[in-house]
Amino acid sequence: MPEIELTQGVIRYRDLGDGAPIVLIHGLLVGGSVWDRVVPLVAANGRCIVPELPLGSHTLPMRKDADLSPPGLAALIAELIERLELEDVTLVGNDTGGALCQLVAARHPERLGQLVLTNCDAFENFPPPAVGPMLTALKVPGMIAATAMLARLRPVRKAMFSAMPLTMEPIPDELVKSWVAPLASHRVRRDLARVVRGISPSHTLAAVELLRSFDHPTLIAWGERDRFFPQADAESLAATFPRARLELIPDARAFVQLDAPERLARLIASVADGAVTAPA
């Protein structure tokens, strides 16, 4: 993967295809590989950029003084877009990454052309209630290290994701293993601890008024079978943006990019072509 040095540290990213830029943003404790089923479909019609953000599954730790609060992470995404000299970007977010994309659209919209939000944190649900206890536990000293050690065991990984059904079918263990392996690094665990401490609905709620003036095509593409991110938030997001449309995707849960990659890729392509307009 190419690497780029940003204010907060060095990150890796994938850069595939040619044409209009589409940037895919992943969530907490997963890597850019969560988009693997979508990437070849998107890269067939545009330039697909997938950064490995410092959300716990990254392999390059950030600087010791890095700002890994949600606003700091949004600034990192905006800086990446600027440093790569991207214009008219279609920014796509999922899970925690969707909340970060909202902050980018609110505070750093200059290079954005379109926005796609899949199932993600929003409004007062940052984190959503079902995930709150886990994040609270991760704030306990030593808990991230203990979780990292246990997650080396395949039965533990299976139990963890069985208790958190993010997809319709089980996520392949090799993919899960690649997400938890970087936690062997104490510096990655340090980064994750900072991220977890910073998650708060104050950030997503503060962005709402600014998002009302984000006058660009916006698509809310939401898996209908999600048990974590409420559909009511999808409807509220669609009502917040002035040029938004809501698409519900059947037989898909929170990681809609794994459950329905073809459908999501078609929706992303339609937004990149400017086909999403305000409802009549």
Side-chain angles (χ1 to χ4, degrees):
M1 288 187 190
E3 298 178 0
I4 186 168
E5 185 169 357
L6 303 175
T7 302
Q8 311 286 21
V10 178
I11 68 167
R12 293 188 170 117
Y13 64 98
R14 283 182 287 169
D15 191 343
L16 304 170
D18 296 298
I22 300 167
V23 179
L24 306 179
I25 302 298
H26 65 81
L28 189 71
L29 284 171
V30 302
S33 55
V34 76
W35 296 104
D36 278 359
R37 296 179 187 176
V38 171
V39 167
L41 304 172
V42 170
N45 298 299
R47 181 182 177 188
C48 184
I49 297 163
V50 189
E52 297 290 336
L53 298 174
L55 298 178
S57 296
H58 55 299
T59 54
L60 294 178
M62 294 293 98
R63 294 195 174 114
K64 189 174 182 180
D65 60 348
D67 178 3
L68 300 183
S69 67
L73 291 164
L76 182 147
I77 294 169
E79 184 182 4
L80 171 70
I81 290 171
E82 180 180 6
R83 289 285 306 281
L84 294 179
E85 300 182 342
L86 306 179
E87 300 283 354
D88 195 27
V89 171
T90 299
L91 185 64
V92 185
N94 173 254
D95 189 30
T96 322
L100 299 180
C101 289
Q102 292 168 52
L103 300 188
V104 175
R107 302 183 180 279
H108 311 279
E110 298 81 10
R111 292 175 179 263
L112 301 188
Q114 298 75 224
L115 179 66
V116 178
L117 298 177
T118 68
N119 302 53
C120 64
D121 305 74
F123 306 109
E124 68 275 5
N125 294 316
F126 187 32
V131 179
M134 180 192 76
L135 292 191
T136 298
L138 290 179
K139 295 177 183 179
V140 176
M143 184 59 71
I144 292 178
T147 301
M149 184 173 297
L150 289 171
R152 297 175 188 175
L153 304 174
R154 180 169 184 161
V156 173
R157 294 193 298 270
K158 182 177 179 180
M160 288 168 57
F161 279 83
S162 295
M164 298 178 59
L166 297 165
T167 52
M168 298 296 292
E169 300 293 334
I171 301 173
D173 182 64
E174 285 304 309
L175 193 54
V176 176
K177 185 178 180 181
S178 72
W179 295 339
V180 300
L183 290 173
S185 164
H186 74 92
R187 294 176 63 197
V188 169
R189 296 196 301 271
R190 177 201 65 197
D191 289 349
L192 175 60
R194 288 183 182 172
V195 173
V196 168
R197 287 196 300 269
I199 291 176
S200 166
S202 63
H203 300 297
T204 40
L205 289 170
V208 173
E209 287 305 314
L210 294 171
L211 295 178
R212 295 189 194 281
S213 62
F214 183 78
D215 192 25
H216 297 275
T218 301
L219 176 71
I220 313 300
W222 214 263
E224 286 188 299
R225 302 283 296 277
D226 190 358
R227 301 183 185 181
F228 294 93
F229 302 109
Q231 187 172 310
D233 278 359
E235 295 165 356
S236 295
L237 283 167
T240 297
F241 292 92
R243 298 177 61 193
R245 183 173 125 210
L246 172 61
E247 289 279 353
L248 298 178
I249 301 177
D251 298 321
R253 289 184 174 154
F255 286 178
V256 62
Q257 66 270 53
L258 294 178
D259 283 332
E262 294 85 3
R263 172 67 172 152
L264 181 58
R266 288 195 298 270
L267 289 170
I268 292 171
S270 75
V271 176
D273 289 340
V276 176
T277 57

